[in-house]
């Protein structure tokens, strides 16, 4: 079942919320692919493209969060970064596993693995947003409020 954006997922920072929406879009795109015939000639190409987009965009998103955490010395940043690193490594390992299964023509296992990866991604993203990311919400909203009073993020950073 595709993920639908909900206000409960909002961090309150537009850039982060928009990136979360894009990640949901990419995961939902992967779900559509699970309905596609794995034996079709362009399945592998579509899968590779979606997974690569997902990995690349996830890295971009994590970098955005981490830069903000570093800039404003968020005290839980090291743990948050470890979570990000573990996730990226796990996705890359799953991508390699799928590559091997496809190369061996093990289509039934490809379908099962893809379904498992999809469920993992859906669960991980929502859990990460609602637990890990929500922990920094108040911290960054307070900084954002101060920044707006001082003329924006860049004015705030100069002080």
């Amino acid at each position: 079942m595709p993920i639908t954006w909900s206000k409960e997922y909002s961090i309150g920072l537009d850039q982060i919320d928009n990136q979360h929406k894009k990640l949901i879009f990419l995961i939902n795109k992967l779900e559509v692919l699970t309905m596609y015939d794995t034996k079709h000639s362009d399945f592998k190409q579509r899968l590779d493209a979606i997974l690569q987009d997902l990995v690349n965009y996830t890295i971009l998103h994590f970098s955005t969060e981490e830069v903000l955490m570093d800039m404003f010395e968020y005290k839980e940043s090291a743990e948050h970064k470890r979570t990000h690193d573990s996730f990226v490594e796990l996705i890359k390992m799953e991508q390699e596993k799928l590559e091997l299964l496809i190369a061996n023509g093990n289509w039934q296992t490809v379908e099962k693995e893809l379904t498992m990866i999809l469920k993992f991604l859906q669960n991980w993203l929502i859990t990460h947003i609602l637990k890990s990311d929500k922990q920094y919400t108040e911290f960054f909203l307070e900084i954002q409020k101060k920044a707006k009073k001082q003329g924006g993020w860049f004015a705030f950073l100069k002080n």
Side-chain angles (χ1 to χ4, degrees):
M1 176 169 247
I3 302 171
T4 303
W5 178 258
S6 165
K7 285 187 179 191
E8 95 179 279
Y9 304 148
S10 179
I11 300 302
L13 300 171
D14 290 342
Q15 183 176 13
I16 301 297
D17 286 343
N18 288 335
Q19 288 180 354
H20 285 158
K21 289 174 187 176
K22 172 79 178 217
L23 288 169
I24 287 170
F25 169 78
L26 291 170
I27 291 170
N28 287 343
K29 198 171 170 182
L30 184 62
E31 181 169 7
V32 169
L33 187 66
T34 65
M35 298 174 224
Y36 199 71
D37 183 0
T38 55
K39 294 177 188 170
H40 196 279
S41 62
D42 68 345
F43 173 79
K44 184 183 178 322
Q45 180 182 352
R46 289 174 185 249
L47 176 63
D48 289 345
I50 292 170
L51 288 176
Q52 199 56 53
D53 286 349
L54 186 58
V55 168
N56 291 341
Y57 199 79
T58 298
I59 291 168
L60 171 79
H61 167 65
F62 288 167
S63 295
T64 301
E65 286 185 348
E66 292 169 11
V67 164
L68 285 172
M69 289 176 185
D70 289 346
M71 281 173 55
F72 296 105
E73 299 174 355
Y74 178 65
K75 64 182 177 171
E76 303 296 325
S77 67
E79 179 58 33
H80 205 91
K81 287 178 184 181
R82 277 193 291 279
T83 304
H84 289 169
D85 293 343
S86 297
F87 179 77
V88 170
E89 285 307 309
L90 182 67
I91 295 306
K92 287 180 179 179
M93 285 177 13
E94 288 299 325
Q95 192 175 14
E96 289 172 13
K97 188 175 182 181
L98 279 171
E99 290 276 336
L100 186 60
L101 291 170
I102 290 169
N104 291 330
N106 197 339
W107 299 112
Q108 229 176 3
T109 307
V110 168
E111 290 172 14
K112 288 178 186 174
E113 189 70 21
L114 191 54
T115 300
M116 184 195 76
I117 291 168
L118 176 64
K119 287 179 182 176
F120 170 78
L121 289 171
Q122 291 169 328
N123 183 56
W124 191 94
L125 181 62
I126 298 307
T127 301
H128 185 73
I129 291 170
L130 293 176
K131 292 187 177 175
S132 297
D133 288 354
K134 285 285 187 171
Q135 288 177 349
Y136 67 64
T137 299
E138 190 174 316
F139 176 80
F140 283 112
L141 288 179
E142 188 60 34
I143 290 170
Q144 187 177 43
K145 189 187 312 179
K146 289 178 186 176
K148 284 181 181 178
K149 287 181 184 176
Q150 295 181 13
W153 285 99
F154 294 109
F156 178 71
L157 291 171
K158 290 179 186 175
N159 294 330

